[in-house]
Structure formats: C-alpha cells, structure tokens
Amino acid sequence: MLYAHAAPALTRQVYLLTGRRTLSLEAVERAFHQAWGRWPEVVADPDPVGWVRAAAYEYALSPWHRFRRAHRHADKAPAHPADRTLMDAMLALPPVHRRTVLLYDGIGLDLPDTAAETEATTPTAGNRLLRAHAMLAARVPELAGAPPEKLSALLHHRLGALRPAVPLDPRPAPAVRGAGEQRTRRRSRAVFGLTAVIAVATAYTVSTAPTEYVPPLAPGTSVSGVPPLSGPQQQTERSSALHHKLRNDPAAGPARLAPKGE
C-alpha cells in the first residue's frame, strides 16, 4: 500500500523541511487525501510517491501557516548539539533553497528532477543549491571544511542520521482516510447549505423587487429669469383630512358666501 510504504519517510522529510511535527503529519495526511481523491491520476504517474511528496511539500511550505498559532513556532529542538545545529541551519534557509537541498542532498534526486519538482530550470536549481550549500557551511562547522565535491554526500549522511526530539509516527491509513472522508462530507454539507441560502435570498429578492422603473421627476430650473413651472403641492394626509372636513361642514360652501334671505 502506498500510504504504508511512503508515509513514514514523507513525514520525516516534511519535518526536516519545517521543524514542526504537527504540520508534518497534517501535510502528509492532506497530500494522501488529494491522492486518494485523484487516484487514477496518481496511479498513472511514473512516480506516485513523488506526486504525494510534491503535494505534501507544497502544503507544508504554504506561507499561510505563519498565521496559525499552532504552527507559529518550531517544535523542541533535537537533543544532540550537532543535530540541533544542522536543524537550525536548515530552517534558516529560504523555503525554496531548503526544498532544493532536501530533494537533492536528502533524498538523492538528480538536478533535473530537483528542478522539475521545484518548478525551476536546471541552472536555477543548481544556483540555489550552491547558495544553500554556502549558507549551510557557514553555520555548520562540520560542513565548513568539506570540499565541494563531498559536501552533498556529507549532507545526505547528516540529514539521514538526524534524530528529531519528537515522535514522527503517522496515523494508520484507515484513520487518515476516515478523517478525510468526514472532512469531505462536512465540506459538501456546507456547500449545499450555502447554495440553499443563496437560492432563498435570490427568490426573496425576485419576489420583492419592483417590476418596473419609475424615474424620479427632475426639479424645474429657471430659464432666462423666468421661474420654473410649479403647481400646487401634493396634499398630505393631514391636509386631505382638513379639506374633507371643510367641504362637509354646514358653514362651508357657496351658501356661506352667498346667503339667501329667509
């Protein structure tokens, strides 16, 4: 099974990439969720492990994790001083340089494959590797005196021998897959609920919106000193009531103005 074969090694790789146990486990699980959701594509890939690895690395190096409180700080440093120095030096590298070093020196990919997985040209990947080696040699004493042709082999050995201070055992495959399916169901319910709310809001808007447009009357303007045409103002409810009362009053009307003799 792909998960049982690749998950432990991928979790360790992502830990070397991030220094965070929880993020490493989360990244590997999310990568396998994507792989199971697109299984025909993964099976057809020449390197299924590489497909999952690329997805895990992309998730782990997302800049949004810096805003999450749980992933804001690295985990407990390795107990051995040499391991701690190497881990600190790795985490001090820019993310793309760190990924290049891990792929080329840690896993052992050749330079074209490293460039392809980091979405760079081969010369760009080579330049990143040289700069990363120089930065690591400046911070790790045992790498400072190594000749350039042996630096990669030494890094491969040191990264493979690094002992984390936290356990990196991934969860069993059934638990990971069940959690992924449950997350998918929750996401589907949320989408359906949002769609229903939008549909109800749209129906309410359609039923209450006016069916025709009544343009407002533009105010009159004076032309050559002649005041604008104006007429009686629209009666208010109070003025209409007063007008009705006056017309119905016995003292009102023509009889009041032109009384007849008895």
Side-chain angles (χ1 to χ4, degrees):
M1 187 177 180
L2 183 63
Y3 181 87
H5 169 71
L10 287 177
T11 305
R12 176 181 171 82
Q13 293 168 25
V14 179
Y15 174 80
L16 294 175
L17 203 62
T18 62
R20 293 162 174 79
R21 173 184 178 273
T22 304
L23 180 57
S24 303
L25 295 170
E26 182 180 328
V28 172
E29 291 184 5
R30 289 295 183 90
F32 273 99
H33 292 164
Q34 294 181 29
W36 290 327
R38 303 166 62 178
W39 191 244
E41 177 184 343
V42 176
V43 172
D45 193 279
D47 183 14
V49 175
W51 194 102
V52 181
R53 178 178 63 237
Y57 285 15
E58 288 290 338
Y59 181 86
L61 293 178
S62 172
W64 295 106
H65 294 310
R66 72 184 66 179
F67 301 108
R68 300 175 60 187
R69 182 178 300 177
H71 303 321
R72 195 168 296 170
H73 303 289
D75 292 344
K76 182 180 178 181
H80 196 278
D83 292 343
R84 185 163 56 248
T85 301
L86 178 59
M87 194 71 199
D88 291 342
M90 283 287 293
L91 296 179
L93 295 175
V96 67
H97 291 69
R98 203 184 314 154
R99 185 173 182 176
T100 302
V101 168
L102 186 59
L103 291 172
Y104 185 82
D105 298 318
I107 300 177
L109 298 184
D110 58 17
L111 196 57
D113 289 342
T114 300
E117 191 157 326
T118 56
E119 299 182 349
T121 63
T122 301
T124 300
N127 290 331
R128 289 172 178 172
L129 193 64
L130 291 176
R131 287 196 294 269
H133 284 174
M135 287 185 279
L136 289 173
R139 297 176 67 96
V140 182
E142 61 183 302
L143 301 179
E149 63 275 8
K150 294 185 178 180
L151 186 59
S152 182
L154 183 57
L155 264 175
H156 178 79
H157 171 71
R158 288 294 295 112
L159 290 173
L162 190 146
R163 297 182 296 275
V166 292
L168 298 176
D169 299 325
R171 294 194 297 169
V176 175
R177 190 152 193 170
E181 293 173 352
Q182 185 177 5
R183 183 181 296 108
T184 301
R185 287 194 295 268
R186 288 199 302 266
R187 187 182 298 114
S188 299
R189 286 195 294 266
V191 171
F192 291 151
L194 180 60
T195 303
V197 170
I198 294 175
V200 170
T202 303
Y204 175 78
T205 302
V206 170
S207 62
T208 58
T211 58
E212 60 182 11
Y213 174 68
V214 180
L217 295 176
T221 58
S222 175
V223 178
S224 299
V226 178
L229 180 65
S230 61
Q233 297 182 351
Q234 185 178 4
Q235 288 186 341
T236 63
E237 183 178 353
R238 180 180 179 184
S239 62
S240 297
L242 179 61
H243 180 73
H244 180 71
K245 179 180 179 181
L246 291 174
R247 287 185 65 87
N248 295 332
D249 193 286
R256 185 174 66 84
L257 298 177
K260 296 181 180 180
E262 293 293 337

